[in-house]
Amino acid sequence: EIYGLELLDFYTRARAATAQHANNIKPLHWNTFEPILDADKARKHEEARDQAEKLLVEVQDGPFHDRLLYHYGKACRLTKLPALAKPQLRLLIDRYAGRSDFYDEALYQLASIHLESGEWKDAAPLFERLLRDIPDTHIQDRAVIGLARIALELKDKIRATEWLDLFDRSFPKSPVK
């Protein structure tokens, strides 16, 4: 009987500690995330970056963590801070592969950072992975153009022509030029 009372006391204390811990956690709610989306839509990338950066300090996981990583990485890229963007986008790609709606976008953003930095050999595998792993992504055209540009930069005119021919055949109505 004493053992049973001790066990009951342990369970009671454990439940209380768990409840206290749960109360201390601040979940990321949609209304917390919405201003970042609004700033992104308005192309106020510095504002989106600053808001996302504040939340990243508080939120290390949760239902919107992948979106937060993506929007921070994108905003850093667009405000010319690739060194800040790379680790966040890489974290999204590594942690949320196949589980995030932003996986394809993160691959594209990270590949674009490498492309803009002249890191052709780092960009190409990311664009290829995007096409291979997510064949129905809405940004296929951008990945194909990215690969064509890389081939041109590497002086591989044959491969660049192949990518551009694929682009012309596959995406005749694409706004990407």
Side-chain angles (χ1 to χ4, degrees):
E1 222 175 87
I2 293 174
Y3 178 73
L5 291 176
E6 288 176 5
L7 191 58
L8 180 61
D9 184 50
F10 169 77
Y11 284 133
T12 303
R13 284 185 285 128
R15 284 188 184 131
T18 302
Q20 181 62 38
H21 179 69
N23 287 334
N24 291 338
I25 295 174
K26 295 179 183 175
L28 181 62
H29 295 288
W30 183 253
N31 59 356
T32 308
F33 187 71
E34 210 167 12
I36 297 169
L37 289 178
D38 293 341
D40 181 59
K41 287 178 187 173
R43 298 181 187 258
K44 296 178 180 177
H45 301 297
E46 288 180 5
E47 183 180 323
R49 182 195 67 222
D50 294 344
Q51 290 178 8
E53 186 173 40
K54 287 177 191 170
L55 279 178
L56 276 172
V57 171
E58 296 176 25
V59 179
Q60 300 300 313
D61 207 353
F64 298 110
H65 189 241
D66 60 330
R67 296 169 189 205
L68 186 56
L69 291 170
Y70 167 71
H71 283 287
Y72 179 71
K74 175 185 173 186
C76 286
R77 174 185 159 238
L78 295 173
T79 56
K80 308 295 185 207
L81 296 170
L84 295 177
K86 284 180 183 181
Q88 303 304 328
L89 293 168
R90 177 58 62 196
L91 178 60
L92 190 159
I93 291 165
D94 293 344
R95 184 183 289 179
Y96 296 102
R99 298 185 305 139
S100 172
D101 293 338
F102 290 89
Y103 175 64
D104 58 341
E105 295 279 356
L107 284 169
Y108 173 76
Q109 292 295 330
L110 188 56
S112 296
I113 288 169
H114 288 300
L115 187 67
E116 292 161 0
S117 301
E119 300 164 348
W120 321 122
K121 294 186 185 222
D122 292 326
L126 293 166
F127 283 131
E128 290 167 351
R129 183 174 171 185
L130 175 62
L131 294 172
R132 181 189 67 239
D133 291 357
I134 313 159
D136 60 341
T137 182
H138 68 283
I139 53 177
Q140 283 182 334
D141 54 345
R142 293 187 242 168
V144 171
I145 286 293
L147 287 164
R149 181 172 168 205
I150 291 167
L152 284 172
E153 295 291 347
L154 295 174
K155 310 286 189 242
D156 187 346
K157 292 179 184 177
I158 293 171
R159 191 71 179 133
T161 301
E162 291 172 350
W163 283 117
L164 291 172
D165 287 346
L166 176 64
F167 177 83
D168 290 339
R169 286 191 317 273
S170 301
F171 310 104
K173 297 180 180 180
S174 173
V176 176
K177 301 291 179 210

